[in-house]
Amino acid sequence: MDGDRVNEYATKFLKQESEIQSLSAELEGLKNPQRSSPSCRLDELREENSRLQYRLNILKRSLQDEPPHCGTAMMNINQRLQEIFGRAIRASCPELDSPPLSVTPNQQAKFGDYQCNSAMAMAQLLKAKGLKVNPREIAEKIIQNIPENELIQKTEIAGPGFINIHLKRSFVSRLLSNLLVNGVQPPPLASKKRVVVDFSSPNIAKEMHVGHLRSTIIGESMCRLFEFLGYDVLRLNHVGDWGTQFGMLIAHLQDKFPNYLAVSPPIGDLQAFYKESKKRFDEEDDFKKRAYQCVVRLQSKEPDFIKAWNLICDVSRKEFQKVYDCLDVHIIERGESFYQDLMTEVVKEFDDKGLTEMDEGRKIVFAPGQPIPLTVVKSDGGYTYDTSDLAALRQRIFDEKADIIIYVTDSGQGPHFQLVFAAAKMIGWYDPQVTRVEHAGFGVVLGEDKKKFKTRSGDTVRLMDLLDEGLKRSMDKLREKERDKVLTPEELTKAQRSVAFGCIKYADLSHNRINDYVFSFDKMLDDRGNTAAYLLYALTRIRSIARLANVDEATLRKAAQSVEVLLDHDKEWKLGKCILRFPEILQKILDDLLLHPLCDYLYELATTFTEFYDSCYCVEKDRHTGNEPPPRRTSHVIPQWCVPA
Ligand code: ARG
């Protein structure tokens, strides 16, 4: 709209401007100054054009203030600054092919809101080319080349050549209003991509351990991230449900519960059942033979054997589901058995392309750049973990048509995935420029003694026991804080679960997943520091302000359309800018697939909110009447920040 008006005014302005010029020329050339007509017309035109010029300037300014169109999505301020500075840097230094671009948010307000640190690195690069230029001079040049834009108020050079960037308050205020009106929206998606996340993936008949807990928590969060961004996500539980151990399990099942085809056997403790069958497998020759026969009959899909196998899988499934229910995890089971037939095809494809070799009875594949080969067929003719992952990858690329495939397992499996990815690229299944295939590895879970996480007796910790312990600890904490005195029993149980499971998940997510991480209930339940307990506390506080101020989301949305978000106070300004950094954080975690920056950001947001709340008085209840007095900072503070989630 405003753009059209600018054009219209500008055309008129230019037309009149040229008329003014020709009239002035005519006037100059006139011998007889008494003839007044051109001069009157000239005065008229001059006056009208000065008015037009004024209106044009206003319109141009408001156009500059208008953020570029990105629908209802939140704008990534850092990205926008990178675009602007990228252009300025290229224009000021044509000698460098790809000059370094660095724009980062500033923690200390006195240095501006963002900072561009490219000048120093550029000076270094120029020096290497034999050109000696002072970084401050480069910074000056960059500033001269900054194109017209909607968000920068001013820039200044500091120290050896830092450029401090100050944002326009009106711009930040408008973005905040947009956010209130539209809600938190993901950035616009160029195209809807299909993502497969392979996570959790415990092994049937074995206990789910803390490594699987990490995979479950990290994988679930990655899925939520992709879903929030609008991707089409397939959550896959690649359970270990196929393999030789099923032979002995089935043989033992036949002995223990001969009636298993008619009545479901009451296997309460699959772990114990597994141990018993393993003992027999190691000690009884006949049993061992029968176990091997069972594997063959299972793999040839004899109905009775499939039934036995299903019964065993069901017992495990129920156990896994208990953990998923506690942690609110949603996942589709598609275990190794799903790929059984595809494995035969995969081996054939490698054979046909001449990529396999025999090595002491095994069939192996060497992939470029890999120190060891993949084993695709064992000497007994069986397939391996390598074969099943090759088949799974091929199925995900060609049948699922995935654009992004992520495997969330401990870092120890890194070499295995590198082998599989290298073999898949070699055979031409995918081009890494087009399809993103990544192993998102994580470190081991340590006890507070910094040793591998174990029970006191040295056994692996059962996940359900761990979650139960979390519930107990969280209830102790709630009681210590006398929450049991104010909450109903139902509310107390709800709070207990939110605190326990929220803290366990957050503790995992807030650490860089690559590192080993120390599991400590005391730390994760501490309500000071970067913990879920602290964030839950901050959220509760915000909600209680909203309750006290009697505002809900609809009121806020409506108010935001007419009331300007004022950012006069330092703490308001700081909080406003912090809120708007969300799209920048999203982009970062999407690029690196590391989730801890999101936790760091949430923690920063919560502490910035607390600072704001402590210095900018929101609402206060009258201690005697329980009523709220009129808010002090009517126009902005109260309703607008107190978004009930
Ligand atoms: N079941 C495996 C384990 O417990 C993890 C499977 C991970 N996914 C995969 N596609 N290999 O170690």
Side-chain angles (χ1 to χ4, degrees):
M1 269 303 277
D2 281 354
D4 293 347
R5 291 224 313 274
V6 168
N7 283 342
E8 185 193 317
Y9 288 170
T11 322
K12 194 167 171 194
F13 176 81
L14 287 175
K15 222 171 106 197
Q16 296 189 163
E17 211 37 51
S18 78
E19 206 180 329
I20 289 174
Q21 267 174 18
S22 64
L23 279 174
S24 337
E26 202 182 326
L27 206 61
E28 287 280 292
L30 273 180
K31 299 278 174 279
N32 182 359
Q34 257 72 27
R35 284 182 55 189
S36 60
S37 67
S39 132
C40 286
R41 171 86 185 118
L42 191 60
D43 288 341
E44 251 172 58
L45 275 175
R46 277 200 174 127
E47 206 187 307
E48 202 193 335
N49 252 19
S50 81
R51 276 201 309 273
L52 263 180
Q53 178 73 68
Y54 173 68
R55 290 206 331 254
L56 250 177
N57 283 344
I58 292 184
L59 275 174
K60 271 194 184 154
R61 221 175 306 138
S62 81
L63 258 191
Q64 270 174 27
D65 283 351
E66 205 65 54
H69 261 290
C70 44
T72 54
M74 286 175 79
M75 180 194 197
N76 184 335
I77 296 181
N78 197 338
Q79 200 175 27
R80 180 79 186 109
L81 288 172
Q82 307 240 6
E83 276 161 28
I84 292 171
F85 273 82
R87 264 199 271 167
I89 286 170
R90 281 192 300 276
S92 51
C93 202
E95 298 88 344
L96 295 175
D97 295 335
S98 50
L101 172 62
S102 147
V103 177
T104 47
N106 256 346
Q107 284 306 320
Q108 278 174 290
K110 60 178 176 193
F111 299 130
D113 306 312
Y114 280 80
Q115 196 172 67
C116 169
N117 299 340
S118 299
M120 283 77 72
M122 286 161 72
Q124 288 291 329
L125 289 174
L126 287 172
K127 198 172 160 198
K129 287 189 161 218
L131 292 162
K132 232 182 147 197
V133 196
N134 181 336
R136 276 187 82 97
E137 273 170 42
I138 302 180
E140 259 157 38
K141 260 199 180 163
I142 296 176
I143 289 179
Q144 281 157 16
N145 280 302
I146 293 176
E148 251 186 43
N149 64 78
E150 71 286 2
L151 75 168
I152 301 175
Q153 176 75 39
K154 64 168 184 185
T155 49
E156 66 212 358
I157 301 174
F162 298 107
I163 303 174
N164 293 337
I165 307 162
H166 296 260
L167 297 177
K168 277 188 191 162
R169 292 202 182 220
S170 58
F171 174 79
V172 170
S173 161
R174 208 174 12 256
L175 287 191
L176 288 167
S177 297
N178 285 350
L179 174 60
L180 279 170
V181 172
N182 301 314
V184 180
Q185 300 289 338
L189 255 193
S191 63
K192 198 178 172 97
K193 294 207 166 112
R194 179 136 168 99
V195 190
V196 169
V197 185
D198 174 322
F199 71 104
S200 193
S201 310
N203 299 315
I204 301 284
K206 294 189 190 163
E207 202 68 66
M208 206 170 169
H209 56 70
V210 279
H212 295 123
L213 177 69
R214 286 209 84 179
S215 173
T216 307
I217 293 172
I218 297 168
E220 168 70 30
S221 301
M222 282 187 188
C223 293
R224 291 185 190 192
L225 165 71
F226 283 114
E227 279 157 5
F228 173 73
L229 293 167
Y231 291 75
D232 175 13
V233 181
L234 180 62
R235 301 149 161 259
L236 291 184
N237 203 357
H238 190 89
V239 292
D241 63 354
W242 205 246
T244 35
Q245 87 263 30
F246 281 95
M248 60 187 205
L249 280 165
I250 294 172
H252 191 50
L253 182 79
Q254 289 171 333
D255 293 348
K256 272 245 142 132
F257 302 105
N259 203 12
Y260 77 89
L261 289 171
V263 186
S264 272
I267 313 175
D269 192 342
L270 197 53
Q271 272 276 287
F273 192 81
Y274 179 85
K275 274 191 193 149
E276 284 165 27
S277 63
K278 175 89 174 86
K279 191 162 181 279
R280 290 185 67 192
F281 184 84
D282 293 338
E283 290 171 2
E284 299 171 27
D285 268 355
D286 281 356
F287 181 82
K288 195 170 184 166
K289 257 187 223 142
R290 202 149 55 80
Y292 277 127
Q293 281 161 7
C294 286
V295 179
V296 177
R297 297 177 74 177
L298 172 67
Q299 297 200 338
S300 57
K301 304 216 174 91
E302 269 188 48
D304 288 359
F305 287 81
I306 291 287
K307 167 108 192 192
W309 170 74
N310 263 323
L311 285 170
I312 294 165
C313 290
D314 268 344
V315 182
S316 270
R317 233 168 246 145
K318 283 198 190 105
E319 286 303 306
F320 300 157
Q321 194 55 43
K322 283 187 200 156
V323 174
Y324 298 146
D325 288 344
C326 285
L327 300 176
D328 192 18
V329 167
H330 300 269
I331 191 162
I332 294 169
E333 186 186 312
R334 192 185 278 175
E336 289 173 15
S337 61
F338 177 89
Y339 304 96
Q340 182 64 17
D341 296 339
L342 300 174
M343 289 193 250
T344 317
E345 285 177 33
V346 160
V347 175
K348 188 173 177 305
E349 191 179 333
F350 274 91
D351 275 338
D352 290 350
K353 296 202 166 138
L355 295 168
T356 51
E357 356 181 325
M358 293 309 291
D359 174 62
E360 293 176 6
R362 306 177 303 151
K363 190 172 274 181
I364 57 170
V365 171
F366 275 100
Q370 296 301 314
I372 49 162
L374 294 96
T375 301
V376 290
V377 186
K378 288 189 291 186
S379 47
D380 67 2
Y383 297 131
T384 67
Y385 194 46
D386 289 348
T387 335
S388 73
D389 263 321
L390 283 171
L393 181 52
R394 193 173 83 141
Q395 196 274 344
R396 289 163 191 182
I397 294 168
F398 295 104
D399 299 352
E400 297 302 342
K401 309 212 171 352
D403 303 290
I404 302 175
I405 305 171
I406 295 161
Y407 296 82
V408 189
T409 76
D410 61 276
S411 301
Q413 298 202 29
H416 160 73
F417 285 109
Q418 294 323 316
L419 275 179
V420 172
F421 302 163
K425 280 181 271 188
M426 171 177 76
I427 201 167
W429 289 346
Y430 77 96
D431 171 1
Q433 305 289 334
V434 181
T435 312
R436 179 175 183 184
V437 182
E438 233 173 278
H439 172 230
F442 52 79
V444 291
V445 183
L446 304 174
E448 286 184 82
D449 55 1
K450 305 268 162 65
K451 296 206 184 98
K452 232 178 156 186
F453 197 66
K454 289 259 156 70
T455 61
R456 264 194 209 127
S457 58
D459 290 336
T460 44
V461 180
R462 297 186 55 197
L463 277 200
M464 270 323 287
D465 293 348
L466 189 77
L467 297 179
D468 285 342
E469 167 85 6
L471 284 173
K472 191 190 148 296
R473 299 275 202 127
S474 117
M475 187 54 96
D476 292 348
K477 197 86 184 178
L478 288 163
R479 292 222 166 91
E480 184 191 310
K481 303 250 169 205
E482 304 195 330
R483 297 277 85 200
D484 51 333
K485 303 218 166 89
V486 287
L487 299 176
T488 65
E490 293 80 48
E491 285 170 340
L492 190 63
T493 313
K494 240 178 126 183
Q496 178 194 19
R497 291 177 69 87
S498 302
V499 171
F501 304 142
C503 285
I504 292 174
K505 283 177 166 185
Y506 191 85
D508 198 318
L509 296 171
S510 58
H511 290 88
N512 185 332
R513 65 169 157 78
I514 313 278
N515 302 334
D516 293 349
Y517 123 83
V518 177
F519 192 98
S520 157
F521 275 123
D522 287 337
K523 283 216 179 88
M524 62 180 81
L525 286 165
D526 194 343
D527 56 16
R528 293 153 304 176
N530 187 6
T531 62
Y534 174 73
L535 289 187
L536 284 167
Y537 170 71
L539 176 67
T540 313
R541 195 176 198 189
I542 296 171
R543 282 182 170 166
S544 98
I545 299 168
R547 225 176 9 249
L548 209 57
N550 203 16
V551 285
D552 55 21
E553 253 184 277
T555 335
L556 283 180
R557 195 159 290 182
K558 209 155 153 234
Q561 284 163 0
S562 51
V563 185
E564 191 189 342
V565 180
L566 298 181
L567 299 162
D568 302 336
H569 194 285
D570 277 358
K571 302 292 177 194
E572 281 169 339
W573 178 235
K574 190 172 171 193
L575 179 59
K577 284 185 300 175
C578 186
I579 290 173
L580 294 179
R581 276 186 40 225
F582 182 55
E584 181 180 321
I585 306 297
L586 276 183
Q587 190 57 53
K588 186 171 167 46
I589 58 178
L590 187 64
D591 291 345
D592 306 339
L593 292 180
L594 292 173
L595 295 163
H596 66 279
L598 180 61
C599 298
D600 293 343
Y601 169 73
L602 290 176
Y603 180 56
E604 191 189 329
L605 187 63
T607 49
T608 312
F609 175 82
T610 306
E611 273 178 40
F612 151 79
Y613 177 80
D614 289 344
S615 8
C616 301
Y617 169 68
C618 284
V619 278
E620 190 184 56
K621 242 188 201 164
D622 185 307
R623 283 189 205 288
H624 305 293
T625 64
N627 296 332
E628 51 184 283
R632 272 229 311 245
R633 300 173 64 82
T634 333
S635 70
H636 42 306
V637 182
I638 320 131
Q640 301 179 14
W641 299 121
C642 313
V643 189

